[in-house]
Amino acid sequence: RIINEPTAASLAYGLEKDGNQKILVYDLGGGTFDVSILDIGDGVFEVLATNGNTRLGGDDFDQRIIDYVADQFQKENGIDLRKDRAASQRLKQEAEKAKIDLSGTTSAADANGPKHLDVTITRAKFEELTADLVQATITPMEKALKDAGLTYNDISKIILVGGSTRIPAVQAAVKRVTGKEP
């Protein structure tokens, strides 16, 4: 049978076996951000509230890297890589790779463009470039909790879903705001 994504995430983690509990599902995918509050008990999954931002996702994190690298290249060479289709596509691929790399290491290197481009982006720089994006996920979480009539203390578990939840700054923000290990 067809089930919604938050329920699927909860089932994937086997949370229906843990008795009655309230779950917050934080889903930061490529193009959207969704948060759902579920009440699980006696094999029944009830969605208490949902919220999110349909214009915020992992692609926005990639775009911050693209803009940073393209701006650096333009300053040094007077060429905007974003206007060259092939260079722009290569930059997009490398930006996503750098985002993924920065989830496991503290720096990532990038080489692109019609001229050689070698830019190292540190995790600290990435976090600086994307701090507002991470912060933009907090308000929908708080709205969903309010709509459900709950506080973070009422939440038993937090599930992170979507590739961009591997970003350490995302995990740290969720932990800081909720006071719980996601």
Side-chain angles (χ1 to χ4, degrees):
R1 104 181 177 208
I2 298 174
I3 56 175
N4 63 23
E5 286 180 289
T7 301
S10 298
L11 285 168
Y13 280 93
L15 298 181
E16 75 282 2
K17 298 172 185 145
D18 293 343
N20 294 349
Q21 55 188 326
K22 292 181 177 44
I23 309 294
L24 185 146
V25 179
Y26 179 109
D27 182 358
L28 186 57
T32 62
F33 169 67
D34 299 294
V35 61
S36 300
I37 311 292
L38 301 175
D39 187 6
I40 303 173
D42 300 324
V44 176
F45 290 74
E46 180 183 358
V47 178
L48 300 178
T50 61
N51 207 298
N53 184 337
T54 58
R55 295 191 172 142
L56 173 64
D59 295 344
D60 297 299
F61 289 78
D62 298 349
Q63 190 62 47
R64 293 294 170 87
I65 296 173
I66 292 166
D67 291 341
Y68 174 75
V69 172
D71 289 347
Q72 294 295 328
F73 190 82
Q74 190 166 11
K75 277 184 206 172
E76 293 172 17
N77 300 288
I79 299 168
D80 187 354
L81 295 174
R82 292 166 285 215
K83 293 184 179 179
D84 179 289
R85 179 174 278 188
S88 184
Q89 180 59 35
R90 174 91 167 113
L91 187 54
K92 183 174 174 25
Q93 291 168 340
E94 290 298 317
E96 183 178 9
K97 182 180 179 299
K99 177 186 71 178
I100 292 166
D101 289 349
L102 288 170
S103 294
T105 62
T106 57
S107 68
D110 191 3
N112 297 298
K115 295 184 176 188
H116 182 70
L117 172 63
D118 186 10
V119 175
T120 298
I121 299 176
T122 63
R123 184 183 292 170
K125 184 63 176 179
F126 178 61
E127 289 176 0
E128 174 190 322
L129 293 170
T130 60
D132 63 315
L133 299 176
V134 174
Q135 186 58 39
T137 68
I138 303 305
T139 301
M141 278 195 334
E142 292 172 347
K143 286 181 180 176
L145 270 176
K146 184 179 178 190
D147 290 347
L150 301 173
T151 68
Y152 289 117
N153 290 334
D154 298 318
I155 300 297
S156 306
K157 290 194 175 106
I158 298 168
I159 299 175
L160 301 179
V161 178
S164 293
T165 61
R166 292 185 181 100
I167 297 170
V170 169
Q171 295 172 8
V174 171
K175 183 177 181 177
R176 178 180 42 81
V177 169
T178 65
K180 299 180 186 310
E181 190 71 42

